[in-house]
Amino acid sequence: MTEQTTVRGLDALNALFEGAKKEGRSAFLPYFPIGFPTYDDSIAAIEAMASVGVDGFEIGVPFSDPLADGPTIQEATQIALKNGITVRKCLAAVRSLREKGVQQPMMMMSYVNPLIAYGVNEFVTDAKAAGADGLIIPDLPPEEAVMFAEACQRENLALIFFLAPTSNEKRIELVAENATGFIYVVSLTGITGARDQLPEDLTDFIGRIRAKTAIPLVLGFGISTPAHVRQLQGLVDGFIVGSALVRAGKESAEKVRHLAQTLRQTM
Amino acid sequence: MTDTYIQTGLTDVPDERGYYGEFGGRFVPETIIPALDELESEYKKAIADPNFHREFAHLQKTYTGRPTPVSYAKRLSEQLGGAQIYFKREDLAHTGAHKINNALGQALLAKRMGKQRIIAETGAGQHGVASATASAMLGLDCIVYMGEVDMERQKPNVFRMKLMGAEVRGVSSGSRTLKDAINEAMRDWVTNVRDTFYLLGSALGPHPYPMMVRDFQSVIGVEARVQIVEMAGRLPDTIIACVGGGSNAIGIFHAFRDDDDVELIGVEAAGYGLDSGKHAARFSDPKVSRLGVLQGTRSYVMQDDDGQIIETHSISAGLDYASVGPEHAYLRSMERAFYTAATDAEALAAFRTLSEMEGIIPALESAHAVAEVIKRAPTMPKDKVILVNLSGRGDKDLDTVIRELGDSL
């Protein structure tokens, strides 16, 4: 093992954004849920994306009531639950991906309830031990995050907060003050899912956040095509693609690899 | 009889973060937090404005038909042979249930905020009907999300909503009941948050909804407290109400919360029985219900070991929900209120008993409260007084009841 492989948590994320910046591009952070369409297929899809040089992952931990997600991810995570996927199995998946040699930072994405059920401190400890680098929890605003934030700080994991086009100056300041790793910037008012076009007022919106913080900004929701990715270069530090990859994953890990590679080569 | 249609200032909960002790809060995507902030601030301005109170009071008197009466159930009391039983008749409010109190209040607030598009979720359909009604009367556009299972078992209410110009959107995800309708309504709100008012129907969801819904429903208890003293000569010993999300219960409990001698009892749905695991008894079955977070609020949640929300069951769509309003969890933790459960079979029996003995056909939700009074009244002396919140009428449930009782009628 090289020295680099032991860098995890916030340090790994910082290295990720510095690296992308040096190359003059945005970082590409694909989302994929564990257990869709099967456990093995999801592992294969994530490995395939790792092999084409994506910068990091948002690893989906299924929840029965994903209220920030659109139809594509809802369907995928419900299938994952039918396949018997649990929080524990998602942690095992992260460990297994590390054992298979996946080096990129991995953020575990879930909702509050399954993590509380597991135990907040226990989950953060076990996520760290499995090789995860941070948590993304869409129904956890900074006001409610004290327990999670303390646990993540103790383990040097990133706890990712969100900003949305509806966020006013006060919210931007609050999230900027509490942010670790990066801020997940929701591109539009809505739920996850591929869209034809990115919103027009994106530059103004990003500018409003930039004026308040130097932390990396990662854009998500609605991003699915090479044209979107080109449009984002220079605007944000990173971007997340979810639903488009999940749709590809319904067919095969090879389709996922192909789409990830196409998007990666756009930069 | 009373000029108070929105009772505030009686308690120090919720705190400024929307917490009732350790329950409540705001667990929602960032996109709608500014909308919740705006809603809270506009609500506070509205209830500080005498004109808002006047307008609400006027509609509650001349449109809803308030005050609703309290009826003494003479035959039922005699038959059970114990405590004297009184019903607060929310079934006689316009649209046939207490839901109209909150729908009118929130629709007026929407109008005041300049939001033309109303979205609502509904389980039994009573809140959907109330939202459609208030929207029609105030000239607002109304979209109601309803689980497909509930659309099937509450058909008459689907037609009523459509008749009043609302669009009913069937929800086919998850268990296709109230919880899934709320998920879809929240997804709609996240998407259309700038011009849309989410008219949430029960004392749940993110702050300020549990507080706002309680306040708009508080008129039930304010009226009943005066009426029961007039009729029975004193405050009741026990108040009983059914608890789904908990809006009718919190509405009648609120005015009595400082009356320490008045016992407050909430009745959850025990479905096929607590042992069956097929129920919606969030407080009564620790095997499947623990403290958690669902749809914006921290409260008791029916879930499996992995924290996935489990499918609930009740014959009554309005009680068929996996979580419970945070203020009920708080009142229970303080031992100010106590919670019990009635099965489908007990509710059906109570439905028949009340129809036959008193000529009142209760909603299946309210029949759960009646089931509890049937158990409890005979154990109490004749000089004791029980007040039951009869939250709605049963016309909407006739299809279900015909199917269940069939030839035995």
Side-chain angles (χ1 to χ4, degrees):
Chain A
M1 276 198 175
T2 63
E3 181 70 13
Q4 205 184 358
T5 60
T6 59
V7 175
R8 291 262 68 93
L10 270 176
D11 301 330
L13 277 175
N14 292 340
L16 181 169
F17 290 108
E18 275 168 29
K21 199 173 183 178
K22 268 187 207 144
E23 294 175 19
R25 61 179 179 84
S26 305
F28 174 22
L29 303 162
Y31 163 92
F32 208 86
I34 299 300
F36 175 77
T38 67
Y39 177 83
D40 290 344
D41 289 335
S42 62
I43 298 294
I46 292 165
E47 272 194 281
M49 289 192 278
S51 72
V52 300
V54 304
D55 296 287
F57 293 99
E58 194 184 344
I59 303 288
V61 180
F63 176 48
S64 56
D65 292 79
L67 59 79
D69 284 307
T72 306
I73 293 178
Q74 278 179 54
E75 190 199 1
T77 50
Q78 299 320 296
I79 288 170
L81 288 174
K82 284 203 185 90
N83 289 337
I85 297 303
T86 59
V87 174
R88 209 167 289 282
K89 283 183 185 160
C90 292
L91 289 165
V94 169
R95 181 175 292 113
S96 159
L97 286 162
R98 289 291 179 229
E99 282 163 4
K100 288 171 190 288
V102 173
Q103 300 289 337
Q104 288 95 331
M106 287 192 247
M107 318 292 297
M108 299 189 76
M109 184 272 171
S110 191
Y111 288 80
V112 171
N113 200 63
L115 304 186
I116 291 184
Y118 191 97
V120 173
N121 287 316
E122 293 80 358
F123 178 77
V124 172
T125 304
D126 291 354
K128 169 81 172 200
D133 302 282
L135 308 185
I136 300 178
I137 311 171
D139 58 346
L140 188 75
E143 292 93 321
E144 304 289 1
V146 176
M147 263 191 88
F148 281 95
E150 283 172 4
C152 285
Q153 191 175 12
R154 195 178 57 236
E155 298 288 355
N156 193 39
L157 293 191
L159 178 60
I160 305 304
F161 294 118
F162 289 71
L163 282 171
T166 49
S167 304
N168 52 29
E169 303 304 302
K170 211 177 88 196
R171 298 294 309 170
I172 294 175
E173 280 166 22
L174 177 76
V175 168
E177 265 169 41
N178 289 280
T180 53
F182 62 86
I183 294 174
Y184 190 137
V185 180
V186 178
S187 70
L188 42 81
T189 54
I191 50 180
T192 60
R195 267 61 163 197
D196 291 340
Q197 286 186 329
L198 296 178
E200 283 171 10
D201 51 1
L202 210 49
T203 310
D204 288 350
F205 170 39
I206 300 292
R208 282 202 294 133
I209 306 173
R210 271 282 178 253
K212 305 266 184 204
T213 180
I215 196 163
L217 305 182
V218 173
L219 194 73
F221 287 36
I223 304 166
S224 59
T225 67
H228 293 159
V229 171
R230 269 192 294 277
Q231 208 181 325
L232 296 174
Q233 299 305 308
L235 183 65
V236 287
D237 304 284
F239 62 94
I240 292 169
V241 177
S243 297
L245 288 163
V246 170
R247 276 210 300 250
K250 203 170 178 175
E251 295 181 42
S252 66
E254 174 52 28
K255 293 259 183 196
V256 176
R257 190 195 63 77
H258 183 257
L259 176 57
Q261 189 166 37
T262 306
L263 295 174
R264 177 66 184 82
Q265 284 169 352
T266 304
M267 296 183 287
Chain B
M1 63 168 261
T2 169
D3 292 326
T4 306
Y5 288 83
I6 306 169
Q7 188 176 42
T8 56
L10 208 56
T11 69
D12 54 1
V13 288
D15 65 17
E16 69 281 358
R17 292 174 58 231
Y19 272 85
Y20 305 78
E22 59 177 317
F23 311 102
R26 254 186 200 180
F27 294 84
V28 291
E30 177 66 27
T31 312
I32 57 178
I33 297 243
L36 292 170
D37 281 338
E38 184 197 11
L39 179 61
E40 184 181 0
S41 125
E42 291 297 321
Y43 172 67
K44 283 182 175 158
K45 276 186 226 160
I47 56 168
D49 178 357
N51 288 327
F52 184 80
H53 284 268
R54 239 189 317 269
E55 198 177 358
F56 185 57
H58 177 72
L59 289 176
Q60 286 282 49
K61 276 187 270 193
T62 65
Y63 189 73
T64 307
R66 303 211 71 90
T68 58
V70 165
S71 304
Y72 171 52
K74 186 164 183 286
R75 290 191 66 217
L76 185 66
S77 302
E78 278 169 6
Q79 153 121 352
L80 294 173
Q84 306 307 304
I85 300 161
Y86 294 80
F87 288 105
K88 175 62 172 167
R89 300 290 306 279
E90 290 301 294
D91 61 316
L92 294 178
H94 179 44
T95 72
H98 72 292
K99 293 289 185 189
I100 189 71
N101 299 321
N102 168 58
L104 267 183
Q106 287 196 44
L108 276 179
L109 185 59
K111 189 124 186 155
R112 191 184 157 96
M113 291 169 69
K115 309 252 182 189
Q116 177 65 25
R117 183 174 181 271
I118 301 287
I119 56 170
E121 83 295 335
T122 198
Q126 290 303 101
H127 173 59
V129 166
S131 300
T133 301
S135 298
M137 193 257 294
L138 293 170
L140 301 165
D141 308 323
C142 183
I143 294 161
V144 180
Y145 289 92
M146 187 169 190
E148 286 178 348
V149 168
D150 291 340
M151 284 179 78
E152 181 56 35
R153 58 180 163 177
Q154 310 279 203
K155 266 187 200 151
N157 274 345
V158 175
F159 287 119
R160 291 164 83 195
M161 288 184 263
K162 287 182 177 170
L163 271 173
M164 290 183 284
E167 180 191 338
V168 181
R169 293 189 184 167
V171 176
S172 59
S173 58
S175 54
R176 297 180 289 144
T177 58
L178 177 58
K179 165 178 79 74
D180 311 285
I182 295 178
N183 283 340
E184 273 318 299
M186 284 205 174
R187 289 180 185 123
D188 180 316
W189 202 30
V190 169
T191 306
N192 302 295
V193 61
R194 289 187 169 106
D195 66 353
T196 296
F197 188 101
Y198 182 13
L199 208 172
L200 211 159
S202 196
L204 43 85
H207 180 64
Y209 283 106
M211 170 182 77
M212 199 164 64
V213 174
R214 173 195 74 196
D215 293 352
F216 286 135
Q217 294 293 1
S218 64
V219 66
I220 303 172
V222 170
E223 288 175 0
R225 199 171 181 283
V226 175
Q227 289 164 321
I228 195 76
V229 170
E230 278 173 8
M231 294 175 74
R234 60 182 183 84
L235 291 177
D237 299 284
T238 302
I239 295 177
I240 300 175
C242 64
V243 181
S247 71
N248 90 79
I250 209 72
I252 196 162
F253 288 175
H254 192 63
F256 295 90
R257 60 191 300 157
D258 291 338
D259 300 318
D260 293 339
D261 295 335
V262 178
E263 181 183 35
L264 306 176
I265 306 289
V267 186
E268 300 186 285
Y272 296 131
L274 293 181
D275 295 340
S276 72
K278 302 269 181 209
H279 56 71
R282 291 73 38 105
F283 288 138
S284 305
D285 188 357
K287 287 194 302 296
V288 290
S289 186
R290 295 183 301 282
L291 201 50
V293 168
L294 181 64
Q295 296 174 331
T297 197
R298 185 163 191 268
S299 182
Y300 283 81
V301 178
M302 307 245 322
Q303 53 186 306
D304 65 16
D305 291 342
D306 194 46
Q308 309 297 339
I309 311 309
I310 60 174
E311 287 197 11
T312 51
H313 165 78
S314 169
I315 192 169
S316 131
L319 303 185
D320 198 354
Y321 181 63
S323 186
V324 57
E327 192 162 4
H328 285 293
Y330 174 69
L331 292 174
R332 179 172 175 269
S333 74
M334 308 277 287
E335 298 188 349
R336 178 62 194 98
F338 299 89
Y339 295 81
T340 175
T343 63
D344 289 355
E346 288 167 336
L348 271 170
F351 182 96
R352 282 192 82 164
T353 301
L354 193 67
S355 301
E356 287 167 9
M357 304 286 304
E358 297 294 337
I360 299 171
I361 301 175
L364 278 173
E365 288 77 19
S366 320
H368 286 71
V370 179
E372 177 63 21
V373 87
I374 290 172
K375 289 181 215 169
R376 193 172 288 252
T379 69
M380 294 166 70
K382 285 197 165 82
D383 61 346
K384 298 286 183 185
V385 173
I386 300 178
L387 174 64
V388 182
N389 195 17
L390 202 78
S391 56
R393 69 177 186 221
D395 310 48
K396 69 183 176 63
D397 295 313
L398 291 183
D399 279 353
T400 304
V401 174
I402 288 165
R403 203 161 43 237
E404 296 289 333
L405 296 180
D407 295 341
S408 71
L409 266 182

